Amino acid sequence: MGDGDGFGSGRRKLYWRYRTTLVTRVERTCDAGRNQKTNVRSPLTLAFLLPDGHSMSQKYGGEKQELHVMSDAYDTYLEHDEAEKNHFDNVCCAFRQHATFAMSEWANHQFRLHAVPQSQRDLLPDALKQGTPEFIERASQYKDAAIRNQFCLDCILRHAGVPHSQQQATPISKMPSDEQMSKVSSVLKSLVRDWSAEGKRERDMAYAPIIKQIKKYLPLTGFSLDDRPTISVPGAGVGRLAFELTKLNYAVQGNEFSLYMLLASDFMLNAGIVTPDRPLQISPWIMETRNSHSAADRCRSIPIPDVDPPSIMNYEENGTPMMPIFSMAAGDFVSIYNNPKEVGKWDCVCSCFFMDACPNIVEILQIIHKMLKPGGFLMNFGPLLYHWSGPPMRPDDASREVYQDRFKHLDDRYMKSVDLSYEDIKEIMKKVGFEVVEEHVGMESFYTADQRSMQSTMYSCVNFVARKEQRPENGNS
């Protein structure tokens, strides 16, 4: 996760929780890039919860019942924090500019081709020669792919209650950075990983082992619906793992720091606009110019979602409406869960590709240990990529201060992160108060990989289950 990625600095956290309501059907016009009638189902209403336990309507609106418009919640919650509001605006701006950046990349490719000597341009395929029918067809495919992606992002913005690309222009002076646009591309790739049939390969690699272990160590037998095991899912991304655990009737809270991911997960879990029968089509690898077998591979269309979250969440058993216990906590994991109210509250913390996204794993392990009930479990799957791994120190860096001053432009977390081996982490877990009860190393997994690319990173991951010692929590671990 890159710097500047998240919602808030930990001083303020935003929660939302599902409440079931009657299923209704309404007609809504999606005008994000085109007029399209869409059948919209609204089975779930989100109640935004503040850290003090009050809903938005209780604290700011009296008895008024809040319907879900995400921007209202953010506007209310961030009205006294200009920096966080600016970040929200910047994220939305980046969403609006995806197609613009995609077409700029297309223009860049054409400029480079035009710079090739004429004698060499004559040898190019017809699809690379401007004005030919083949070129026009390829250009049309690329443009359609960019529009598909933008339409998806506009739907997310529309659901959030903010202007989309067809409603608000962005001045050249306020164009998003390349880093911000990279995060938008990561959202599209994550949507494929979590919410498409093509992404099932990756989900089976990474999510299935965790789900199997949760069923093994936290079986639901003997639990009532009001007393079901509680699971925290940090680094929830666009929400599929948390959703799958909720579907099994566990009480789940996802946690995500990136506002880019939060906007997308809110849309997928709540909008009720798209289903497997009425999917959105996206082309997440449109701007990946290297390692392509064909131009068509980059522009191919992938439908999302492969399941219908609202209908799965809203069901009946023996004529009784079932109440899913599912919430999302937006913000930094440490700031949210390093709290006396979270001590001894959770039966399980399940992390997937999360631990190495934190600058201080020791601190994370201490907080998770505090969060868990005696006998609770930490279940982890992932590599040790260390997102905040710092730049190397040079022999001519006369001191630590000189080294830090050379990189003062970087986020401070790059300078504080400590890269640890898995053996070191196991020793730390033991000292913190965990016992590893199951362990698998060398488990292969991709992460948002393009299945048609010539290059994909295969991670050799570690998967373990660690149990907290049975003694009661004294608050000092």
Side-chain angles (χ1 to χ4, degrees):
M1 186 181 303
D3 40 297
D5 192 19
F7 170 74
S9 57
R11 289 166 285 122
R12 299 167 185 259
K13 284 79 69 179
L14 177 64
Y15 299 80
W16 60 78
R17 176 176 296 164
Y18 286 100
R19 288 204 305 256
T20 54
T21 64
L22 293 177
V23 177
T24 59
R25 304 188 78 85
V26 298
E27 291 290 323
R28 180 180 301 171
T29 301
C30 277
D31 59 353
R34 58 181 173 177
N35 291 326
Q36 173 180 307
K37 288 282 187 174
T38 307
N39 212 10
V40 181
R41 289 157 309 104
S42 314
L44 298 174
T45 300
L46 289 178
F48 286 76
L49 300 182
L50 298 175
D52 61 7
H54 292 94
S55 70
M56 289 289 176
S57 57
Q58 288 173 326
K59 192 157 188 175
Y60 297 103
E63 298 300 318
K64 177 183 175 182
Q65 175 63 45
E66 290 273 327
L67 293 179
H68 172 53
V69 179
M70 194 177 201
S71 63
D72 288 349
Y74 274 95
D75 287 346
T76 303
Y77 200 57
L78 304 182
E79 60 184 351
H80 300 303
D81 196 316
E82 192 65 25
E84 289 181 353
K85 186 177 185 303
N86 287 340
H87 176 61
F88 178 78
D89 292 341
N90 290 337
V91 171
C92 294
C93 178
F95 272 51
R96 285 190 286 268
Q97 291 302 312
H98 172 80
T100 304
F101 274 73
M103 296 314 297
S104 293
E105 181 57 38
W106 171 267
N108 178 35
H109 187 61
Q110 301 311 307
F111 291 148
R112 291 171 181 271
L113 287 173
H114 188 70
V116 172
Q118 183 64 52
S119 61
Q120 295 174 9
R121 289 208 304 274
D122 291 340
L123 302 175
L124 295 175
D126 287 343
L128 296 179
K129 297 177 180 178
Q130 292 189 20
T132 65
E134 293 84 357
F135 176 88
I136 293 171
E137 174 62 23
R138 182 176 291 189
S140 177
Q141 290 177 354
Y142 187 92
K143 183 178 179 181
D144 287 348
I147 291 174
R148 280 194 295 270
N149 289 345
Q150 191 62 62
F151 183 70
C152 173
L153 296 167
D154 284 351
C155 286
I156 293 172
L157 293 175
R158 180 184 175 90
H159 176 67
V162 296
H164 53 67
S165 69
Q166 304 303 297
Q167 296 174 320
Q168 181 171 316
T170 301
I172 294 296
S173 60
K174 294 186 178 181
M175 278 289 169
S177 66
D178 291 341
E179 181 184 13
Q180 289 171 320
M181 298 313 301
S182 174
K183 291 169 185 174
V184 175
S185 292
S186 294
V187 168
L188 294 169
K189 294 172 185 176
S190 294
L191 287 172
V192 170
R193 171 182 168 86
D194 270 18
W195 297 106
S196 77
E198 182 169 314
K200 185 177 185 300
R201 178 184 72 162
E202 289 193 14
R203 297 196 299 273
D204 286 347
M205 287 177 161
Y207 298 167
I210 292 177
I211 294 172
K212 181 179 178 181
Q213 289 164 342
I214 285 176
K215 291 179 178 178
K216 175 181 177 180
Y217 292 97
L218 281 177
L220 287 169
T221 53
F223 287 94
S224 68
L225 287 177
D226 295 329
D227 190 33
R228 62 193 96 175
T230 54
I231 301 176
S232 169
V233 184
V238 291
R240 185 62 179 262
L241 178 58
F243 165 77
E244 291 293 336
L245 296 175
T246 305
K247 189 172 71 173
L248 295 174
N249 275 330
Y250 291 95
V252 180
Q253 181 174 90
N255 163 240
E256 178 55 51
F257 176 68
S258 168
L259 184 52
Y260 295 85
M261 297 294 180
L262 286 164
L263 287 170
S265 64
D266 176 49
F267 173 76
M268 296 305 299
L269 293 167
N270 267 314
I273 295 174
V274 292
T275 70
D277 295 330
R278 300 184 301 278
L280 284 171
Q281 303 285 342
I282 59 176
S283 302
W285 291 283
I286 182 176
M287 288 192 282
E288 300 295 330
T289 59
R290 295 174 292 180
N291 292 304
S292 294
H293 282 283
S294 72
D297 284 347
R298 294 167 52 201
C299 297
R300 74 186 188 276
S301 175
I302 300 173
I304 59 170
D306 63 323
V307 296
D308 182 12
S311 68
I312 292 172
M313 291 287 198
N314 188 40
Y315 70 100
E316 292 186 358
E317 191 171 286
N318 299 324
T320 303
M322 306 307 293
M323 178 74 75
I325 301 179
F326 183 22
S327 60
M328 287 287 288
D332 174 61
F333 177 84
V334 172
S335 300
I336 291 175
Y337 294 103
N338 192 21
N339 186 316
K341 294 181 180 179
E342 303 295 332
V343 172
K345 178 179 176 180
W346 300 91
D347 291 292
C348 178
V349 174
C350 101
S351 65
C352 185
F353 281 80
F354 167 74
M355 300 281 282
D356 61 339
C358 306
N360 187 339
I361 282 187
V362 179
E363 181 182 34
I364 295 299
L365 291 171
Q366 289 177 313
I367 293 171
I368 291 174
H369 189 268
K370 288 182 180 181
M371 291 170 59
L372 291 172
K373 299 174 183 177
F377 295 96
L378 164 61
M379 301 182 183
N380 177 75
F381 184 99
L384 293 174
L385 182 61
Y386 291 114
H387 295 215
W388 297 103
S389 185
M393 178 179 273
R394 292 172 48 84
D396 52 353
D397 287 327
S399 66
R400 172 73 176 175
E401 289 71 24
V402 171
Y403 165 71
Q404 289 180 322
D405 185 68
R406 188 159 58 92
F407 294 104
K408 60 185 177 183
H409 60 285
L410 294 178
D411 188 298
D412 191 48
R413 284 169 287 191
Y414 283 111
M415 311 310 293
K416 293 182 178 179
S417 177
V418 180
D419 302 348
L420 300 171
S421 72
Y422 177 56
E423 290 297 323
D424 292 336
I425 292 172
K426 284 202 295 184
E427 184 67 23
I428 293 167
M429 285 197 296
K430 182 178 179 180
K431 292 181 178 180
V432 168
F434 284 108
E435 174 193 6
V436 176
V437 296
E438 184 175 331
E439 178 184 44
H440 307 277
V441 297
M443 297 190 70
E444 294 183 340
S445 181
F446 294 107
Y447 191 88
T448 64
D450 180 358
Q451 295 187 22
R452 298 191 189 179
S453 173
M454 295 180 185
Q455 178 183 4
S456 294
T457 299
M458 173 70 82
Y459 293 96
S460 180
C461 298
V462 61
N463 169 227
F464 65 78
V465 179
R467 180 165 49 208
K468 178 179 176 176
E469 55 199 3
Q470 291 284 349
R471 65 178 176 81
E473 178 63 59
N474 59 17
N476 296 319
S477 55

